[in-house]
């Protein structure tokens, strides 16, 4: 019944957003933006103070052959995203207690993130271990962020991209959203940190289906399983963002916990202790298997 209510809410929000779309996207675009790098951009909504970080949709490919539109994890991408998250976190904390706020992490284009950049790994085999370590440390920071992070998914979140979405506090997903991690299908064993993250966020039957058997989950199934908070009935990025902002204003910003970021962070570290410890230490990382896979591409 609860899932049906959320699905109905998503449908109604989608209808409202389509009627309002000529107005609300313009409001969002009025946010002042600054960017630290080419992979992530930042906007600040003037009405709420919400920091909107966008994984940018750029045409073309990297010098090693990866499409920029896939938002794949390699050291440059990880560093840029980490810097933006840290900058936004500190700015939001500086405005407390007068203006509690949060971060929305969204994508532009078809992909939220397609996971590790295997083509980068093939071109930089001696740096794979460092890439794996940096990426898992970023997940640990997102998982225990003192400021709530809401993932707005208007595209596919696969492999490490799915893990990043799971590390966020809340998830909003449109019609074309997708979760999957085909690690075992690719003859990869996941690290203790990634397994711990999934165990911390998903019920046992979803852990089995996603981790062991690589099942793909669409947004309707994820809503029914309480993995996402709402499912706006839209494929449009602006409409999804507006639905996400409506969810944030109704359900996230009113929470008193936002005014106590240190307590929130400490409690997350206790709640997700096993996953946080494993991700922070990057225990069980096997860079050799990623190297073997990358070199077969």
């Amino acid at each position: 019944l609860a899932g049906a209510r959320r699905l109905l809410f998503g449908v109604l929000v989608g209808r409202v957003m389509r009627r309002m779309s000529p107005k609300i996207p313009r409001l969002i675009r009025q946010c002042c933006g600054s960017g630290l790098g080419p992979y992530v951009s930042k906007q600040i909504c003037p009405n709420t103070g919400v920091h909107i970080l966008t994984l940018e949709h750029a045409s073309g490919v990297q010098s090693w052959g990866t499409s920029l539109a896939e938002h794949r994890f390699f050291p440059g991408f990880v560093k840029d995203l980490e810097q933006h998250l840290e900058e936004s976190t500190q700015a939001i904390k500086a405005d407390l207690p007068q203006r509690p706020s949060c971060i929305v992490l969204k994508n532009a284009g078809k992909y939220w993130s397609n996971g590790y950049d295997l083509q980068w790994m093939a071109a930089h085999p001696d740096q794979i271990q460092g890439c794996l370590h940096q990426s898992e440390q970023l997940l640990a920071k997102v998982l225990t962020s003192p400021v709530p992070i809401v993932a707005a998914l208007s595209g596919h979140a696969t492999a490490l991209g799915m893990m990043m979405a799971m590390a966020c506090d809340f998830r909003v997903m449109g019609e074309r959203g997708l979760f999957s991690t085909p690690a075992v299908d690719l003859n990869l064993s996941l690290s203790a940190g990634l397994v711990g993250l999934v165990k911390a966020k998903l019920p046992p039957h979803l852990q089995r289906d996603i981790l062991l058997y690589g099942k793909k989950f669409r947004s309707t199934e994820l809503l029914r399983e309480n993995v996402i908070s709402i499912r706006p009935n839209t494929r449009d990025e602006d409409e999804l963002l507006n639905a996400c902002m409506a969810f944030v204003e109704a359900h996230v910003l009113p929470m008193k916990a936002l005014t106590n970021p240190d307590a929130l962070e400490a409690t997350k570290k206790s709640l997700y202790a096993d996953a946080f410890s494993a991700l922070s230490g990057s225990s069980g990382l096997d860079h050799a298997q990623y190297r073997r896979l990358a070199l077969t591409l």
Side-chain angles (χ1 to χ4, degrees):
L1 183 59
R5 288 197 187 108
R6 284 195 301 275
L7 181 57
L8 178 60
F9 177 74
V11 171
L12 293 174
V13 167
R15 290 175 180 173
V16 171
M17 291 307 156
R18 274 192 289 275
R19 294 192 188 104
M20 300 176 68
S21 59
K23 298 178 181 179
I24 292 185
R26 281 202 293 270
L27 172 64
I28 296 298
R29 292 189 186 110
Q30 288 172 0
C31 301
C32 54
S34 64
L36 295 177
Y39 307 111
V40 184
S41 67
K42 181 179 73 176
Q43 301 169 306
I44 303 175
C45 185
N47 295 333
T48 62
V50 172
H51 285 229
I52 303 168
L53 303 184
T54 302
L55 307 179
E56 285 295 341
H57 176 62
S59 60
V61 297
Q62 301 279 20
S63 60
W64 50 86
T66 300
S67 170
L68 290 168
E70 293 188 41
H71 308 132
R72 286 185 176 267
F73 283 71
F74 75 101
F77 176 85
V78 172
K79 180 180 179 180
D80 196 25
L81 179 55
E82 186 172 20
Q83 286 179 336
H84 275 82
L85 287 169
E86 178 63 22
E87 181 185 73
S88 292
T89 297
Q90 295 306 318
I92 291 171
K93 290 175 69 174
D95 285 340
L96 294 175
Q98 290 79 13
R99 198 182 198 192
S101 195
C102 69
I103 296 170
V104 169
L105 181 58
K106 74 179 192 71
N107 65 289
K110 178 180 178 181
Y111 303 101
W112 201 77
S113 173
N114 258 353
Y116 280 124
D117 191 337
L118 297 177
Q119 289 178 283
W120 177 89
M121 290 182 176
H124 305 82
D126 58 326
Q127 300 179 46
I128 293 176
Q129 181 74 9
C131 177
L132 300 178
H133 181 69
Q134 293 165 21
S135 298
E136 293 212 356
Q137 286 192 322
L138 174 60
L139 291 183
K141 291 179 180 179
V142 172
L143 181 65
T144 59
S145 171
V147 172
I149 301 176
V150 182
L153 301 119
S154 63
H156 297 181
T158 59
L160 198 69
M162 187 203 79
M163 300 295 181
M164 175 65 74
M166 293 307 307
C168 295
D169 295 274
F170 305 95
R171 285 153 293 282
V172 173
M173 182 181 282
E175 290 180 357
R176 66 180 181 183
L178 175 74
F179 267 12
S180 72
T181 179
V184 174
D185 294 351
L186 297 173
N187 198 28
L188 294 173
S189 58
L190 293 174
S191 70
L194 297 181
V195 172
L197 172 58
V198 172
K199 290 174 69 176
K201 292 296 187 89
L202 294 179
H205 66 286
L206 291 188
Q207 297 172 27
R208 176 200 64 210
D209 290 346
I210 287 180
L211 293 183
L212 299 181
Y213 301 114
K215 181 178 177 180
K216 297 178 181 179
F217 283 86
R218 300 286 180 179
S219 55
T220 49
E221 298 171 287
L222 295 173
L223 180 68
R224 188 166 56 246
E225 296 285 358
N226 298 318
V227 177
I228 60 177
S229 298
I230 62 169
R231 178 193 177 272
N233 190 28
T234 181
R235 291 172 173 259
D236 182 81
E237 293 172 21
D238 283 331
E239 291 178 4
L240 180 72
L241 176 58
N242 287 308
C244 180
M245 294 296 287
F247 169 79
V248 165
E249 291 189 47
H251 299 286
V252 181
L253 297 185
M255 294 190 298
K256 188 174 178 59
L258 272 64
T259 62
N260 300 302
D262 293 339
L264 183 60
E265 180 181 13
T267 304
K268 285 182 178 181
K269 288 180 178 178
S270 297
L271 180 62
Y272 306 129
D274 291 342
F276 174 70
S277 176
L279 288 168
S280 299
S282 298
S283 60
L285 287 177
D286 181 4
H287 71 282
Q289 62 176 345
Y290 283 93
R291 179 172 181 169
R292 285 194 300 269
L293 175 62
L295 292 177
T296 63
L297 297 177

